Amino acid sequence: MRATTRLRKLFEDGHTIVAPGIADGLSARLVAQAGFEAVYASGGAISRGAGIPEIGLLSSTEIVSRLEGIVDVVELPVIADADTGYGNALNARRAVRAFERAGVAALHLEDQTFPKKCGHYDDKSLVPVAEMVQKLRAARDALHDPDFVLIARTDAIAVEGFEAAIDRAAAYVEAGADMVFVEAPTTEEQIAEIARRVPGWKLINMFQGGKTPLLPTRRLAELGYQLVIIPSDLQRAAIAAMRRALHCIAEDGSTAAMAGEMVTFKEREAVIGTADYQELDRRFGA
């Protein structure tokens, strides 16, 4: 079964999926080994992994290259962040085709102006509804796989207000989006209202320290959300761990003082599947 079909079937069967955010193949493998049903290739995590903020500096070509590496090492459906589509409707159409060729099972397009900003930054601006509708129509027309899940994101709450966000979300579903992502609700009441009033499947962004209050997955499922993404928490945890290791190295010349917090060399090789590659080498080596 194709990854797109697996993902769509999960939604159709009433599952609420949690997709932790990742930036590379290693973190994608960890998500898969932890038993999750999908991974979220976070644009913010990929940008910050490249050492830059999420302000639209990475090109679609750079993002697609990273997505190919992620898709190659996990069998889980990969949900991707396609930002604004990197320009107008024709740019979005071209980007969607490239993302589909890379092997992702779903992606979201957003209605910010390009270059965009992180959804929890201030001072964002939006394209007109009609322009976003055309982007979504162009994206739907570009897709070859009928099971590919097209997600429309709106950042209107912070820019035009809550009611405008609801109206935009409804227009995006009518334009062909399978799922809607209303970014950065600020209260539990807004979270519930989005789920109640927006048609189609719903995505919500849950991460520590954002503008949106954190709710348990069970509660989000009860409200009517099908997909929960947690974009940045794995990367932020890794930053904290790397800082501790660097402090030990600076103080002692090694990480012996925190050995209990680290996986062993052998465990690391198991995560990345070294034994499998060695077996392939034995099978196909000259």
Side-chain angles (χ1 to χ4, degrees):
M1 188 183 294
R2 299 189 308 272
T4 52
T5 306
R6 292 205 312 274
L7 183 64
R8 184 172 286 272
K9 190 173 188 306
L10 287 168
F11 295 142
E12 290 174 344
D13 289 348
H15 291 251
T16 297
I17 299 170
V18 177
I22 55 89
D24 53 31
L26 175 59
S27 48
R29 279 187 183 272
L30 289 170
V31 170
Q33 292 169 8
F36 288 90
E37 295 176 295
V39 297
Y40 175 57
S42 163
I46 291 171
S47 292
R48 293 176 178 96
I52 57 177
E54 188 188 6
I55 53 174
L57 295 177
L58 286 182
S59 68
S60 61
T61 302
E62 291 172 297
I63 295 291
V64 167
S65 175
R66 287 162 172 80
L67 289 173
E68 289 171 341
I70 292 164
V71 170
D72 191 50
V73 298
V74 290
E75 295 183 359
L76 295 181
V78 176
I79 300 157
D81 179 354
D83 289 335
T84 65
Y86 311 97
N88 64 16
L90 292 182
N91 295 113
R93 188 175 189 276
R94 186 169 184 268
V96 165
R97 284 202 165 173
F99 276 56
E100 185 180 28
R101 287 195 302 271
V104 303
L107 61 78
H108 62 75
L109 291 169
E110 65 197 68
D111 57 6
Q112 284 193 52
T113 55
F114 183 78
K116 55 76 57 79
K117 295 180 179 178
C118 169
H120 290 251
Y121 288 175
D122 294 324
D123 301 321
K124 297 175 289 186
S125 59
L126 307 182
V127 299
V129 174
E131 182 176 335
M132 181 61 179
V133 163
Q134 289 299 91
K135 281 189 181 183
L136 291 168
R137 288 174 177 165
R140 178 58 69 193
D141 180 70
L143 290 166
H144 293 95
D145 187 342
D147 287 339
F148 193 102
V149 178
L150 178 61
I151 306 165
R153 167 177 150 179
T154 179
D155 286 71
I157 290 178
V159 182
E160 299 176 344
F162 185 76
E163 289 300 321
I166 297 293
D167 291 343
R168 279 179 174 262
Y172 300 163
V173 171
E174 187 175 349
D178 299 297
M179 178 177 281
V180 176
F181 172 10
V182 180
E183 174 66 304
T186 57
T187 66
E188 185 170 346
E189 290 73 21
Q190 286 187 346
I191 294 171
E193 278 290 285
I194 292 164
R196 185 177 69 83
R197 295 174 59 187
V198 174
W201 295 330
K202 266 79 67 175
L203 179 159
I204 190 162
N205 181 2
M206 290 271 115
F207 72 93
Q208 183 65 41
K211 294 183 177 181
T212 302
L214 299 180
L215 298 183
T217 303
R218 181 179 300 176
R219 176 60 177 153
L220 294 168
E222 290 171 351
L223 289 172
Y225 286 90
Q226 286 72 35
L227 179 59
V228 182
I229 59 171
I230 306 176
S232 64
D233 290 19
L234 292 182
Q235 189 175 58
R236 289 159 61 195
I239 290 170
M242 286 190 282
R243 280 179 169 168
R244 290 198 300 274
L246 289 166
H247 176 76
C248 287
I249 293 168
E251 290 290 312
D252 304 326
S254 77
T255 56
M258 60 173 292
E261 300 178 54
M262 298 167 57
V263 300
T264 65
F265 181 84
K266 185 176 181 179
E267 288 171 323
R268 185 190 66 172
E269 298 310 295
V271 167
I272 63 174
T274 299
D276 296 332
Y277 285 100
Q278 289 172 335
E279 175 58 28
L280 288 171
D281 188 43
R282 283 191 289 270
R283 285 176 59 194
F284 299 116

